[in-house]
């Protein structure tokens, strides 16, 4: 029965979906297609006969429900041609999208079935082509016709939001209904068919603070005066449900985090009414005294607070700045304090918001005040000079002990300790001044010279008598007043030139002067010739009255051969009281000039010197050169000569290995610095040793019989042989060192320390272990080993 119900339902859907486009109103059967072979005749208005063809296919589209999961394939529809008489000669063919895979056709009956479950969201329609052909010949009996199979939508997709989480902000204190954010969901079902995609929004969490519009998804505030300072963040859950929100619809949700943004709705408030602070009177201006802070629950620029001093007796002594990082008011010292003058101050400090919102001006005033009391603490202060600096004057060349001026300092503390003064010698290295330690009078020690130092800048220390660490310092500038004690002199080392053909009254130089004294002691220089040469026949001088003077030629014609140099004394005096003067000498040379007055030569010897050297001078020069060459040749010849050695030594004389030992001292008897007699062995003092300090007449050859065997290990024999050879060798130097090693001094407690006599004594040392030290110590083992070992080795 269930299968029959499903077939009836599908048949009903197919009948509803058939559309007919033929002008023929009558149809033989539902879902049939008429062949286009039959015609119909109609007469026109003018008697013309019109032929109208009938359409063979009468449908446009079929429908099939998506997600059908029945046991049998779904019947989509049936194809039938009018020419099909039911004898099976007509074959129906289906082609197009999904033909043969999704849609199959019974080629005899023309029934079309869907063999797979369809999803409208994956594909909404399929375009197919139907055709009727002769089963035997495959000849088309009907022209191909295209039709559409649409997938009928069902509500199989829930709504989905664009984002899983939303974040939104809304100002605190917003009015009811203020829009916060719009959330949007989408449904994959067909919005044009039924209510599968008709969405309705609702709020699941977040009441009563927020609401949502059912159709648009706009979230709005639902409560007035929400306070950020009470609660800043809210979590809202929004649901979207299809089928218009009715029961049976599918739904989806999203989370919305809503944050209340701050507005300036809170004024600043001080947590206390009075602040107590203290500061030392020794504090310097700009030093921090203390801090105050007004609390404002607002944040950002709404919580910014600016501090100011609006009243109090300490307005001039203190200032307040704002630390915007900590939102504190920093009270700082503005001027130097004096505990003895005033011991406490009071300030009235105001804290006000920087930015005020006009909407909430009624919540104000957005400021608060507090009282700040500051106590000044007493400090042990250093002395204070009555002036920050001193300027004194003293005349130069003043006598030693002249008073320059007086400085004064006092102890600002209540104790009023006595003060002692001194000069900082780093500022008066030459010790020009001294100061009275008790009263501060400054005097000169020696005469001052303004031209050497015009200003003396010294420093004076003031120290408390009982507290040496309390010290003050003040600068003192001493100006040296000028005295006219320097005469004017030439401004430069003038040297004038005059032509031999100079004309009378011709000016040839202008001179000026300098004075080391101040301009007040010589505002103008006076130039003149000494009285004894005021009527000089050669030159004359004219004072230009502008601190310059001009020198003129008094006569015509000069001769370099007669006199080429003239010295003209000039007296220069200043205008000081008393005036100072000096005599300066102007050097004037006579030069040769051309007719235009251009200088040619000033050398007077040019007329008397010959151009070349005399014959005698040339001969003298050549003789000197020859003598020098002879000296060089003799020196080279002498250097090449070699002296023959006084003593001839054999190249292979082994005695040098013995005499190179350094001499030992004479022991306790060596009271002389280096008495060579003490070093002689007294036991052999009477022996005769033939020695000479001159080159022998013959070469001594050592006797072959005295030499030990080359490979001998008897060190005693070796040493004895060498001693005998050295004693009998007339060519050896005197005082053979070998004799010294055997004797340490007659008075020595230690006796002989020489190892050369060790061969004559029996040694109790055992050197047999040297046999085990390897090949490198084999020679030592052979020399110092036991006799048995030698026998074994042999």
């Amino acid at each position: 029965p269930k299968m029959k119900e499903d077939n009836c339902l599908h048949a009903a859907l197919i009948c509803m979906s058939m559309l007919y486009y033929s002008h023929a109103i009558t149809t033989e059967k539902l879902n049939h297609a008429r062949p286009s072979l039959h015609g119909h005749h109609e007469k026109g208005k003018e008697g013309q006969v019109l032929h109208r063809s009938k359409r063979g296919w009468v449908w446009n589209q079929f429908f099939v429900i998506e997600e059908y999961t029945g046991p049998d394939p779904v019947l989509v529809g049936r194809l039938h041609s009018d020419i099909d008489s039911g004898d099976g000669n007509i074959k129906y063919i289906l082609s197009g999208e999904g033909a043969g895979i999704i849609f199959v056709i019974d080629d005899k009956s023309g029934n079309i079935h869907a063999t797979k479950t369809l999803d409208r969201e994956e594909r909404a329609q399929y375009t197919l082509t139907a055709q009727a052909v002769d089963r035997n010949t495959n000849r088309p009996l009907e022209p191909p016709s295209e039709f559409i199979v649409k997938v009928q939508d069902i509500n199989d997709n829930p709504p989905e939001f664009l984002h899983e989480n939303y974040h939104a902000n809304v100002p605190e204190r917003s009015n009811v209904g203020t829009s916060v954010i719009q959330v949007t969901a989408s449904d994959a079902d067909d919005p044009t068919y039924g209510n599968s995609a008709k969405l309705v929004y609702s709020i699941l969490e977040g009441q009563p603070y927020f609401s949502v519009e059912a159709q648009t998804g706009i979230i709005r505030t639902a409560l007035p005066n929400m306070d950020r300072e009470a609660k800043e963040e809210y979590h809202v859950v929004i649901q979207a449900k299809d089928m218009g929100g009715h029961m049976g619809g599918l739904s989806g949700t999203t989370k919305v985090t809503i944050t209340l943004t701050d507005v300036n709705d809170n004024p600043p408030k001080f947590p206390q009414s009075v602040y107590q602070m203290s500061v030392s009177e020794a504090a310097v201006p700009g030093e921090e005294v203390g801090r105050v802070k007004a609390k404002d629950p607002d944040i950002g620029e709404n919580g910014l607070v600016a501090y100011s001093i609006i009243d109090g007796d300490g307005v001039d002594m203190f200032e307040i700045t704002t630390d915007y990082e900590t939102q504190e008011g920093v009270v700082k010292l503005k001027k130097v304090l004096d505990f003895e003058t005033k011991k406490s101050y009071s300030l009235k400090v105001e804290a006000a918001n920087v930015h005020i919102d006009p909407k909430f001006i009624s919540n104000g005033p957005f400021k608060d005040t507090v009282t700040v009391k500051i106590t000044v603490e007493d400090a042990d202060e250093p002395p204070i000079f009555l002036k920050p600096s001193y300027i004194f004057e003293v005349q130069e060349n003043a006598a030693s002990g002249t008073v320059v001026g007086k400085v004064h300092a006092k102890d600002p503390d209540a104790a009023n300790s006595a003060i002692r003064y001194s000069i900082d010698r780093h500022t008066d290295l030459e010790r020009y001044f001294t100061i009275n330690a008790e009263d501060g009078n400054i005097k000169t020690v020696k005469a001052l010279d303004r031209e050497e130092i015009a200003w003396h800048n010294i420093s004076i220390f003031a120290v408390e008598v009982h507290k040496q660490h309390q010290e003050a310092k003040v600068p003192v500038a001493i100006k040296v007043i000028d005295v006219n004690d320097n005469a004017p002199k030439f401004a430069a080392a003038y040297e004038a030139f005059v032509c031999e053909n100079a004309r009378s009254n011709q000016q040839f130089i202008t001179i000026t002067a300098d004075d080391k004294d101040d301009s007040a002691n010589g505002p103008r220089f006076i130039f003149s010739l000494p009285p004894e040469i005021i009527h000089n026949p050669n030159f004359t001088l004219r004072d230009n009255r502008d601190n310059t003077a001009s020198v003129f030629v008094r006569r015509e014609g000069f001769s370099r051969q007669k006199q080429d140099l003239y010295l003209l004394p000039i007296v220069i005096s200043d205008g000081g009281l008393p005036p100072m003067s000096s005599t300066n000498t102007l050097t004037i040379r006579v030069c040769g000039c051309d007719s235009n007055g251009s200088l040619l030569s000033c050398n007077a010897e040019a007329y008397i010197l010959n151009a070349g050297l005399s014959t005698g001078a040339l001969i003298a020069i050549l003789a000197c050169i020859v003598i020098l060459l002879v000296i060089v040749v003799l020196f080279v010849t002498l250097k090449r000569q070699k002296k023959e050695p006084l003593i001839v030594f054999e190249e292979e004389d082994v005695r040098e290995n013995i005499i190179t030992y350094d001499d030992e001292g004479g022991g306790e008897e060596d009271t002389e610095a280096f008495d060579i007699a003490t070093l002689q062995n007294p036991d052999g003092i009477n022996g005769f040793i033939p020695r000479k300090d001159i080159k022998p007449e013959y070469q001594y050859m050592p006797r072959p019989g005295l030499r030990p065997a080359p490979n001998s290990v008897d060190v005693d024999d070796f040493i004895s042989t060498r001693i005998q050879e050295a004693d009998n060798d007339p060519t050896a130097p005197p005082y053979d060192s070998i004799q010294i090693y055997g004797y340490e001094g007659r008075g020595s407690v230690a006796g002989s320390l020489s190892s050369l006599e060790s061969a004559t004594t029996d040694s109790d040392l055992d050197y047999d272990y040297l046999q085990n030290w390897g090949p490198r110590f084999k020679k030592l083992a052979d020399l110092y080993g036991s006799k048995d070992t030698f026998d074994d080795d042999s």
Side-chain angles (χ1 to χ4, degrees), residues 368-382:
D368 193 16
T369 58
V370 70
T371 300
V372 179
K373 294 184 178 180
I374 302 174
T375 301
V376 181
E377 298 177 347
D378 188 20
D380 189 7
E381 301 173 86

Side-chain angles (χ1 to χ4, degrees), residues 324-339:
Y324 287 102
E325 292 185 0
T326 61
Q327 290 298 301
E328 293 177 321
V330 184
V331 180
K332 295 182 179 180
L333 184 62
K334 191 176 180 181
K335 295 181 180 179
V336 177
L337 301 173
D338 187 6
F339 174 80

Side-chain angles (χ1 to χ4, degrees), residues 423-667:
I423 297 177
D424 183 2
R425 289 305 172 186
H426 293 91
T427 61
D428 186 25
L429 296 176
E430 300 296 331
R431 296 184 178 271
Y432 287 107
F433 306 97
T434 185
I435 188 170
N436 189 304
E438 295 181 357
D439 59 14
N441 276 323
I442 303 174
K443 298 180 180 180
T444 61
V445 177
K446 51 188 175 181
L448 306 178
D449 186 2
R450 188 202 69 87
E451 287 71 42
E452 182 180 350
I453 302 176
W455 284 86
H456 292 267
N457 297 302
I458 63 175
S459 297
I460 304 298
F461 289 118
V463 183
E464 295 182 17
V465 174
H466 302 293
K467 298 177 182 178
Q468 298 293 328
H469 64 281
Q470 294 293 356
E471 181 182 79
K473 187 176 181 180
V474 67
V476 177
I478 301 174
K479 180 182 180 181
V480 181
I481 301 175
D482 183 48
V483 174
N484 192 21
D485 58 348
N486 289 278
K489 295 181 180 181
F490 276 160
Y494 291 109
E495 186 172 357
F497 303 92
V498 63
C499 294
E500 288 181 308
N501 55 356
R503 299 185 303 275
S504 178
N505 296 326
Q506 179 182 353
Q507 177 183 344
F508 59 90
I509 190 173
T510 300
I511 58 176
T512 185
D514 284 337
D515 194 336
K516 293 182 180 180
D517 292 323
D518 191 43
S519 59
N521 289 316
R524 191 179 74 79
F525 300 124
I526 301 172
F527 298 87
S528 63
L529 294 177
E532 62 271 13
I533 63 166
I534 194 169
H535 298 292
N536 188 293
N538 299 317
F539 307 101
T540 184
L541 181 134
R542 184 184 68 190
D543 192 339
N544 297 325
R545 299 182 179 275
D546 59 355
N547 291 334
T548 65
S550 299
V551 183
F552 295 85
V553 176
R554 194 163 191 172
R555 66 181 178 84
E556 292 185 2
F558 292 89
S559 175
R560 282 183 290 172
Q561 294 181 359
K562 293 181 179 181
Q563 185 175 353
D564 63 339
L565 184 65
Y566 293 88
L567 300 178
L568 180 65
I570 298 176
V571 178
I572 308 175
S573 61
D574 56 25
L577 294 175
M580 297 288 291
S581 64
S582 66
T583 301
N584 301 265
T585 302
L586 176 63
T587 302
I588 303 173
R589 293 186 179 276
V590 179
C591 301
C593 303
D594 58 12
S595 59
N596 296 326
S598 298
L599 187 65
L600 294 179
S601 175
C602 294
N603 191 354
E605 298 177 353
Y607 293 97
I608 60 177
L609 291 179
N610 294 324
L613 295 175
S614 62
T615 304
L618 291 176
I619 293 174
I621 293 173
L622 292 176
C624 292
I625 294 174
V626 171
I627 292 172
L628 289 176
L629 290 176
V630 171
I631 293 173
V632 171
V633 171
L634 292 176
F635 179 76
V636 173
T637 304
L638 293 176
K639 289 289 288 183
R640 291 182 177 179
Q641 292 183 355
K642 296 182 180 179
K643 293 183 179 181
E644 296 183 359
L646 299 177
I647 302 176
V648 179
F649 297 95
E650 290 183 5
E651 292 181 358
E652 299 180 357
D653 192 351
V654 297
R655 287 180 291 106
E656 59 181 348
N657 296 329
I658 298 174
I659 64 174
T660 54
Y661 288 102
D662 292 336
D663 296 339
E664 293 187 1

Side-chain angles (χ1 to χ4, degrees), residues 376-390:
V376 181
E377 298 177 347
D378 188 20
D380 189 7
E381 301 173 86
I384 298 177
F385 282 94
L386 299 184
K387 295 181 180 180
S389 62
Y390 292 86

Side-chain angles (χ1 to χ4, degrees), residues 768-793:
D768 291 344
Y769 59 86
L770 295 175
Q771 296 291 335
N772 300 325
W773 281 20
R776 293 187 177 181
F777 298 92
K778 186 176 184 305
K779 188 67 175 177
L780 288 176
D782 293 343
L783 291 173
Y784 296 97
S786 63
K787 185 173 180 59
D788 296 339
T789 304
F790 297 151
D791 296 341
D792 294 341
D793 295 338

